[in-house]
Structures are given as structure tokens and as C-alpha cells.
């Protein structure tokens, strides 16, 4: 296990960077042009960054970045 110490200003900056990265990943994951391997890599990256973000942000802020279930496949079940 590794430890990480930072002051308040550094923690705010880390939270900001993680938040922006999560927003970008969520936007990119809505793109239907992504193939399976790239999408899988981005989803793994999202999971890691989301776990990091949970350590810095408040529960209210964390909820904003929870991924919604994909409805892409449910449309074809008709």
C-alpha cells in the first residue's frame, strides 16, 4: 500500500483534475464509434480515476460521476 500526503490546496487541485478527466471520459464513452477494445480500456481507466476521485470529493459530488447503465443494447431487444 502506498501513502499520499498533500495540503488542502493540493487536494483541491487533485480533485479538480480528476473531475475534469471523469467528465471527459464520460463524454467519450457515449461515442458509438468506439470499438470494443478502446471502450474497454476507457472503462477501466474510468473505474480507476473514479476510485481516486472518491477519496477527495464529498459524497454529493461523487454522485454526479456515477455511470448510468447503457441502454444501447436494450433497444435491440424489441
Amino acid at each position: 500500500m502506498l501513502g499520499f500526503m498533500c495540503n488542502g490546496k493540493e487536494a483541491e487541485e487533485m480533485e479538480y483534475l480528476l473531475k475534469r478527466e471523469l467528465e471527459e471520459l464520460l463524454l467519450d464513452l457515449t461515442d458509438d464509434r468506439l470499438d470494443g477494445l478502446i471502450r474497454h480500456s476507457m472503462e477501466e481507466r474510468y473505474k480507476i480515476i473514479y476510485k481516486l476521485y472518491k477519496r477527495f470529493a464529498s459524497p454529493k459530488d461523487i454522485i454526479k460521476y456515477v455511470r448510468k447503465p447503457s441502454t444501447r443494447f436494450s433497444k435491440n431487444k424489441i
Side-chain angles (χ1 to χ4, degrees), residues 8-65:
K9 195 69 168 171
E10 293 168 339
E12 288 176 19
E13 185 66 25
M14 182 65 76
E15 182 181 344
Y16 174 80
L17 292 171
L18 293 170
K19 188 186 309 184
R20 296 298 161 235
E21 187 64 27
L22 285 172
E23 288 174 358
E24 207 170 302
L25 281 168
L26 285 173
L27 180 65
D28 290 344
L29 284 169
T30 61
D31 190 352
D32 291 333
R33 298 175 294 175
L34 296 176
D35 68 351
L37 184 60
I38 294 173
R39 181 173 298 277
H40 179 71
S41 300
M42 290 175 72
E43 287 172 351
E44 289 299 315
R45 181 175 170 85
Y46 172 84
K47 289 176 189 175
I48 292 168
I49 293 174
Y50 183 73
K51 286 179 187 177
L52 280 170
Y53 181 66
K54 285 181 6 179
R55 296 174 188 219
F56 288 92
S58 69
K60 184 179 99 177
D61 293 333
I62 292 169
I63 292 172
K64 296 176 188 176
Y65 298 100

